[in-house]
């Protein structure tokens, strides 16, 4: 009877230890994931390409790289050409491994 009781206590301890290890590893993995999901790059990946319609306004930024002008580097060309170039870059960017991972996991 002592043998059965000892085996039961040992198996309970192993179960608790394994459960604690699994939970702590999930917590450790979630911190970098949260940081990556909140990154500017990930937000851009999950965002719409409709911002490209604002490319003509980049002429008013005068080289400023602060928001909302920080995305003007995607607009190359004037008028409709700038918008279409931006949308192409945007769609191509969403196909990169980093973006697909971000879209899938965030």
């Amino acid at each position: 009877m002592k043998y059965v009781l000892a085996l039961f206590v040992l198996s309970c301890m192993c179960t608790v230890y394994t459960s604690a290890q699994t939970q702590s590893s999930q917590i450790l993995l979630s911190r970098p994931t949260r940081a990556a999901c909140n990154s500017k790059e990930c937000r851009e990946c999950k965002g719409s390409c409709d911002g490209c319609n604002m490319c003509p306004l980049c002429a008013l930024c005068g080289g400023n790289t602060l928001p909302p002008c920080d995305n003007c580097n995607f607009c190359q060309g004037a008028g409709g050409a700038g918008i279409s170039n931006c949308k192409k870059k945007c769609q191509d960017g969403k196909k990169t491994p980093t973006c697909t991972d971000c879209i899938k996991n965030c």
Side-chain angles (χ1 to χ4, degrees), residues 82-103:
I83 293 171
S84 63
N85 287 337
C86 177
K87 286 188 177 183
K88 181 176 180 348
K89 283 183 185 179
C90 181
Q91 293 300 328
D92 290 345
K94 290 182 183 288
K95 297 174 187 170
T96 63
T98 302
C99 269
T100 54
D101 185 49
C102 177
I103 292 167

Side-chain angles (χ1 to χ4, degrees), residues 4 17 23 29 31 35 45 65-66 74 81 84-86 92 95 104:
V4 172
Y17 177 76
Q23 288 176 349
L29 289 175
R31 288 179 186 154
C45 290
T65 57
L66 298 174
F74 296 110
S84 63
N85 287 337
C86 177
D92 290 345
K95 297 174 187 170
K104 178 182 173 185

Side-chain angles (χ1 to χ4, degrees), residues 6-60:
L7 187 59
F8 176 73
V9 170
L10 183 61
S11 65
C12 287
M13 288 174 45
C14 287
T15 303
V16 169
Y17 177 76
T18 304
S19 176
Q21 289 292 83
T22 303
Q23 288 176 349
S24 66
S25 67
Q26 288 174 346
I27 291 169
L28 292 175
L29 289 175
S30 67
R31 288 179 186 154
T33 302
R34 278 194 304 250
C37 289
N38 290 330
S39 70
K40 182 179 188 293
E41 184 177 287
C42 190
R43 287 192 311 268
E44 287 175 352
C45 290
K46 295 188 307 181
S48 170
C49 294
D50 290 341
C52 291
N53 294 330
M54 304 302 278
C55 281
L57 297 177
C58 288
L60 303 174

